[in-house]
């Protein structure tokens, strides 16, 4: 199999929040609905079985007016540490989000890994932009939760 780094989009963002505050935003379907996906997208979550092996069904509503049904499966969940899904519909990939505590908050490490280099390269530019926007939206949702507390 091809090396992960050759078929993955990897990025990170430092959030001024604890790992538990970040994990709380990622484990609450109402909060995920507000922050998932690239800028301009909204979400309807139909099923969110937040446990290893659990199903996640959502429809992403694009700014272009189109609906994008998504099916994923939670593959690994470690409270305040790791959130991992296997995306089953459309583009197949594994998304791993790791939360690493830092003195000034939490470093969110985001890695989206595709099955082949060719698949990744076909959509790499879109994926990079979308993942960066998703991290920005997650940061805003985490801050929103801190402000509400």
């Amino acid at each position: 199999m091809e090396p992960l780094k050759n078929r993955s989009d990897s990025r990170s963002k430092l959030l001024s929040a604890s790992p538990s505050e970040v994990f709380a935003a990622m484990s609450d379907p109402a909060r995920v609905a507000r922050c998932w996906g690239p800028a301009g997208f909204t979400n309807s979550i139909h099923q969110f079985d937040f446990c290893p092996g659990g199903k996640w069904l959502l429809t992403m509503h694009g700014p272009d007016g189109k609906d994008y049904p998504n099916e994923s499966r939670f593959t690994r969940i470690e409270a305040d540490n790791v959130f991992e899904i296997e995306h089953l519909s459309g583009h197949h990939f594994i998304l791993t989000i790791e939360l690493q505590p830092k003195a000034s908050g939490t470093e969110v490490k985001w890695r989206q890994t595709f099955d082949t280099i060719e698949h990744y390269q076909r959509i790499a530019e879109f994926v990079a932009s979308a993942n960066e926007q998703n991290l920005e939206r997650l940061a805003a949702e985490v801050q929103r939760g801190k402000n509400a507390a």
Side-chain angles (χ1 to χ4, degrees):
M1 180 159 284
E2 300 151 331
L4 284 178
K5 67 180 181 143
N6 294 343
R7 54 192 174 91
S8 298
D9 179 71
S10 297
R11 54 200 57 254
S12 66
K13 184 167 186 65
L14 184 62
L15 305 185
S16 59
S18 69
S20 63
E21 289 169 321
V22 177
F23 192 79
M26 295 172 21
S27 58
D28 179 339
R31 296 182 75 187
V32 170
R34 286 192 294 267
C35 72
W36 196 255
F41 279 77
T42 59
N43 299 286
S44 298
I45 295 183
H46 312 291
Q47 187 172 347
F48 193 81
D49 301 326
F50 195 69
C51 62
K55 186 181 278 193
W56 181 17
L57 299 174
L58 78 150
T59 301
M60 298 177 72
H61 310 287
D64 58 2
K66 293 182 183 175
D67 289 337
Y68 301 88
N70 284 260
E71 179 181 354
S72 296
R73 178 175 60 90
F74 295 102
T75 55
R76 187 166 53 134
I77 297 171
E78 298 171 21
D80 305 341
N81 187 32
V82 174
F83 171 101
E84 185 175 83
I85 64 166
E86 178 182 12
H87 189 263
L88 302 168
S89 57
H91 298 285
H92 184 264
F93 59 83
I94 302 293
L95 174 64
T96 305
I97 303 170
E98 296 179 79
L99 308 178
Q100 296 188 336
K102 300 291 181 186
S104 57
T106 301
E107 181 180 11
V108 179
K109 291 184 153 195
W110 181 288
R111 186 180 68 237
Q112 186 176 7
T113 304
F114 294 86
D115 296 335
T116 66
I117 293 171
E118 293 77 22
H119 185 183
Y120 171 60
Q121 287 177 337
R122 280 195 312 270
I123 58 175
E125 189 175 320
F126 169 78
V127 166
S129 175
N131 285 343
E132 192 62 39
Q133 292 170 28
N134 210 140
L135 278 168
E136 289 296 325
R137 293 182 73 188
L138 174 61
E141 179 59 33
V142 169
Q143 189 58 51
R144 182 180 182 274
K146 287 179 68 168
N147 293 344

